[in-house]
Amino acid sequence: MTVSDASEKDKAVDLEVIQGRLAAIEQRLENLEESQPEDKVALIIFSGDLDRVLAGFVIATGAAAVGQEVSMFFTFWGLGVLKKQTVLSGKNLFEKMMAVMSPDTSKNLPVSKMNYFGVGAKMLRKMMKDKNVSSLEEMIDMAKEMGVKMLACEMSRDVMGISDDELIDGLEPAGVGSFLGESLTSKTNLFI
Amino acid sequence: MTVSDASEKDKAVDLEVIQGRLAAIEQRLENLEESQPEDKVALIIFSGDLDRVLAGFVIATGAAAVGQEVSMFFTFWGLGVLKKQTVLSGKNLFEKMMAVMSPDTSKNLPVSKMNYFGVGAKMLRKMMKDKNVSSLEEMIDMAKEMGVKMLACEMSRDVMGISDDELIDGLEPAGVGSFLGESLTSKTNLFI
Amino acid sequence: MTVSDASEKDKAVDLEVIQGRLAAIEQRLENLEESQPEDKVALIIFSGDLDRVLAGFVIATGAAAVGQEVSMFFTFWGLGVLKKQTVLSGKNLFEKMMAVMSPDTSKNLPVSKMNYFGVGAKMLRKMMKDKNVSSLEEMIDMAKEMGVKMLACEMSRDVMGISDDELIDGLEPAGVGSFLGESLTSKTNLFI
């Protein structure tokens, strides 16, 4: 064997080692790329207060407007945003009581402070209109048109006895797992 | 030097350069891999309202059930979830006043809306039971069994004068730094 | 062509292929590195309750203290934290009503529970002082000194008619886009 032959062999070995390292690197890169959170937003709308819900929709429509994927999980009082009417038949006593004391549609959501039996909420809506800010109902429509995913928490619906007839169209059923799945791949997660 | 010798040398140089680039790439990959947030969840339980706290535990136990690491930081009103009793001796006047006006255990947490001196909270608990949803106390036990880390905020405890005797077992002391550390490596962070 | 020549050519091809793979890998790495969220914190301060706002500032100053970049977006009731006075002239009727019913400065923020017309807030401030915890105003100053970015939501200011004269200095104007931008690159996002 000449010196040149030996170095030839070394280089062949080197090349093989290098190709091995490259393959390993490419696999690690792929794993990293696949596990990256995306420019997505996942919001839990727990609150049923007009002011907090509005903040949620400003964020949702703002994100959708710049091309971000947005999911909104409506749970507990937040389900009030999705109601188009209250249907008492089929509800048990407690469910009826809760339904009667809760807003029947998004139009009657209270504000979290200074509500004064709805006067505060009306005042806020008037102030928004005066400044040409979209109303909650307009924002809900905008969000839907922009492809914002709207999910209704099954467990809350079950506990409160809210039927399909009471909710607006275009909702997807969801559990805590749906939110957790979305939140793993979303860069922005908020509990509102 | 023949042409072949020159090309041999070039290739040796190339191999060295390649190995340098590989090493640099591997280092950058390692840095990236180490700084990746994990499939973890970090929750701040600030609220002491039954409804909000329940939402927190549904998320915590849901995430733990699918193998995610979960930390819950109980601060301010949220410390009420961790109380097993109220011990007045050793408290100063303000601490006593606050203790007397606050729920003595998780069983007496109010709901954030329509509480009506505890009637709302009882109603919610009854509605959950009717639909076979675990009670808050069952969820707390489940969370502990599933290895959810439960941390009690030292600063809030200090300000409110809450003694060890008043809190359930199995808690870790924590400050804002503990939360920030967890949140840096968690994909889901929520303020509840 | 000899065998050696052929293998020479193969190796040259190999090297070229390897260099191509390396360049592709380096590009992917760069893309990944650039899209990594940073050790930053982005907080939306929606609430104007002393207790919740304090939690926000404890997190903000705690994060800034360990070198994290922090942004606080004050919106809706949270704008109350930034008020140095109330100026009624120039406001319309609803804006005046809202201004008169809202805290005029951070010193008069209520607590979210047991406020009893401000007694609860005073009590909390006293309890914090007794335990040598910084007051809200001290925390605001600390946050500013530490370089925490403080942003005031333009849309909320517009709706409520809050003028520049009413707000403290050193604020940056902001919209939902500013928050979304920060939140994409922040590891910790919270809605408070």
Side-chain angles (χ1 to χ4, degrees):
Chain A
M1 202 165 86
T2 65
V3 173
S4 167
D5 279 352
S7 109
E8 276 303 292
K9 216 174 158 188
D10 280 358
K11 250 171 277 162
V13 171
D14 278 354
L15 277 179
E16 236 170 82
V17 170
I18 284 171
Q19 275 156 343
R21 283 168 78 181
L22 276 173
I25 285 170
E26 281 162 342
Q27 186 55 55
R28 284 163 70 187
L29 257 180
E30 209 173 299
N31 292 348
L32 268 177
E33 283 165 347
E34 270 170 19
S35 70
Q36 291 304 297
E38 297 161 54
D39 287 5
K40 287 165 56 180
V41 175
L43 306 177
I44 300 182
I45 309 294
F46 172 91
S47 170
D49 292 327
L50 177 63
D51 43 350
R52 293 178 75 88
V53 168
L54 278 168
F57 274 94
V58 169
I59 294 168
T61 53
V66 292
Q68 293 191 257
E69 254 183 72
V70 183
S71 313
M72 300 178 89
F73 295 79
F74 294 86
T75 186
F76 225 90
W77 310 106
L79 287 172
V81 180
L82 308 175
K83 280 175 79 176
K84 64 178 181 204
Q85 62 177 342
T86 293
V87 181
L88 290 182
S89 74
K91 289 199 201 305
N92 67 32
L93 179 64
F94 282 143
E95 289 166 3
K96 270 182 193 145
M97 281 172 65
M98 186 152 255
V100 167
M101 293 189 304
S102 302
D104 54 346
T105 73
S106 64
K107 292 220 166 78
N108 289 316
L109 297 180
V111 279
S112 65
K113 297 257 162 192
M114 311 193 289
N115 190 49
Y116 304 116
F117 304 98
V119 174
K122 283 213 171 61
M123 201 168 118
L124 174 58
R125 283 179 179 268
K126 175 79 173 67
M127 290 170 85
M128 286 169 63
K129 204 173 171 188
D130 287 348
K131 298 295 162 70
N132 296 312
V133 175
S134 309
S135 71
L136 175 57
E137 289 67 33
E138 287 165 343
M139 286 194 204
I140 296 174
D141 286 343
M142 271 164 62
K144 277 191 194 165
E145 276 165 35
M146 284 165 144
V148 169
K149 259 197 275 183
M150 296 177 66
L151 302 107
C153 172
E154 294 280 280
M155 192 205 269
S156 304
R157 282 191 53 186
D158 190 31
V159 166
M160 301 198 199
I162 298 175
S163 68
D164 286 337
D165 292 348
E166 296 178 291
L167 297 181
I168 58 174
D169 297 327
L171 303 175
E172 300 176 32
V176 66
S178 334
F179 168 72
L180 287 167
E182 285 294 330
S183 96
L184 281 179
T185 56
S186 295
K187 284 192 180 158
T188 307
N189 297 306
L190 300 172
F191 185 93
I192 293 178
Chain B
M1 200 164 85
T2 65
V3 173
S4 168
D5 280 352
S7 109
E8 274 305 291
K9 215 173 157 189
D10 280 358
K11 252 171 274 162
V13 171
D14 278 354
L15 277 179
E16 234 169 82
V17 170
I18 285 171
Q19 275 154 342
R21 281 167 81 180
L22 277 172
I25 285 169
E26 281 160 342
Q27 186 55 55
R28 283 164 71 186
L29 258 179
E30 209 175 298
N31 292 348
L32 267 178
E33 284 165 348
E34 270 170 20
S35 70
Q36 291 304 296
E38 297 162 52
D39 287 5
K40 287 165 56 180
V41 177
L43 306 177
I44 300 182
I45 310 294
F46 172 90
S47 171
D49 292 327
L50 178 62
D51 43 349
R52 292 178 76 89
V53 168
L54 277 168
F57 273 94
V58 168
I59 294 168
T61 54
V66 293
Q68 293 190 256
E69 253 183 73
V70 184
S71 313
M72 300 177 88
F73 294 78
F74 294 86
T75 186
F76 224 91
W77 310 106
L79 287 172
V81 180
L82 307 176
K83 279 175 79 176
K84 64 178 182 204
Q85 62 178 342
T86 292
V87 180
L88 290 182
S89 74
K91 288 199 201 306
N92 68 31
L93 178 65
F94 282 142
E95 289 166 2
K96 270 183 192 144
M97 281 171 66
M98 184 150 257
V100 167
M101 294 189 303
S102 303
D104 53 346
T105 74
S106 64
K107 293 220 165 77
N108 290 317
L109 297 180
V111 279
S112 65
K113 299 253 162 196
M114 310 193 289
N115 190 49
Y116 305 117
F117 304 99
V119 174
K122 284 212 170 59
M123 202 169 118
L124 173 59
R125 283 180 179 268
K126 176 79 174 67
M127 290 170 85
M128 287 168 61
K129 205 175 171 185
D130 287 349
K131 296 295 162 70
N132 296 311
V133 174
S134 309
S135 72
L136 173 57
E137 289 69 32
E138 286 165 344
M139 286 194 205
I140 295 174
D141 285 344
M142 273 164 62
K144 276 192 195 164
E145 275 164 36
M146 284 166 144
V148 169
K149 257 196 277 183
M150 297 176 67
L151 302 107
C153 171
E154 294 279 280
M155 193 206 269
S156 305
R157 282 191 54 186
D158 191 31
V159 167
M160 301 198 200
I162 298 174
S163 68
D164 286 338
D165 292 349
E166 296 179 291
L167 296 180
I168 59 175
D169 297 327
L171 302 176
E172 300 176 35
V176 65
S178 334
F179 167 71
L180 286 168
E182 285 295 329
S183 96
L184 281 179
T185 56
S186 294
K187 283 191 181 158
T188 308
N189 297 305
L190 301 172
F191 184 92
I192 293 178
Chain C
M1 199 162 85
T2 65
V3 173
S4 166
D5 280 351
S7 109
E8 274 304 292
K9 214 175 159 187
D10 281 357
K11 251 171 278 162
V13 170
D14 278 353
L15 277 179
E16 234 170 83
V17 170
I18 285 171
Q19 274 155 343
R21 283 168 79 181
L22 276 172
I25 286 170
E26 281 161 343
Q27 186 55 56
R28 283 163 73 187
L29 257 178
E30 208 174 299
N31 292 347
L32 268 177
E33 284 165 348
E34 270 169 19
S35 70
Q36 291 304 298
E38 298 161 54
D39 287 5
K40 286 164 57 179
V41 176
L43 306 177
I44 300 182
I45 310 293
F46 172 91
S47 170
D49 292 327
L50 178 63
D51 42 350
R52 293 178 76 89
V53 168
L54 277 168
F57 273 94
V58 168
I59 294 168
T61 53
V66 293
Q68 294 190 256
E69 252 183 73
V70 184
S71 313
M72 300 178 89
F73 295 78
F74 294 85
T75 186
F76 224 90
W77 311 106
L79 287 172
V81 180
L82 308 176
K83 280 175 80 177
K84 63 179 181 202
Q85 62 177 340
T86 293
V87 181
L88 291 183
S89 73
K91 289 198 201 306
N92 67 32
L93 178 65
F94 282 142
E95 289 167 2
K96 271 184 192 145
M97 280 172 67
M98 184 151 257
V100 167
M101 294 190 303
S102 302
D104 54 346
T105 73
S106 64
K107 293 220 165 80
N108 289 316
L109 297 180
V111 280
S112 65
K113 299 253 163 197
M114 312 193 289
N115 190 50
Y116 304 116
F117 303 98
V119 174
K122 284 213 170 58
M123 202 169 117
L124 174 59
R125 283 180 179 268
K126 175 81 173 67
M127 290 171 85
M128 286 170 62
K129 204 176 170 184
D130 287 349
K131 296 298 161 69
N132 296 312
V133 174
S134 309
S135 72
L136 174 57
E137 288 69 32
E138 286 164 343
M139 286 195 207
I140 295 174
D141 285 343
M142 272 165 62
K144 276 193 197 164
E145 276 164 37
M146 285 166 142
V148 169
K149 256 196 278 183
M150 297 177 68
L151 303 106
C153 171
E154 294 280 280
M155 192 205 269
S156 304
R157 281 190 55 185
D158 191 30
V159 167
M160 300 199 199
I162 299 175
S163 67
D164 286 337
D165 291 347
E166 296 178 290
L167 297 181
I168 58 175
D169 297 327
L171 303 175
E172 300 175 34
V176 65
S178 335
F179 168 72
L180 287 167
E182 285 295 329
S183 96
L184 281 178
T185 56
S186 295
K187 284 192 180 158
T188 307
N189 297 306
L190 301 171
F191 184 93
I192 294 178

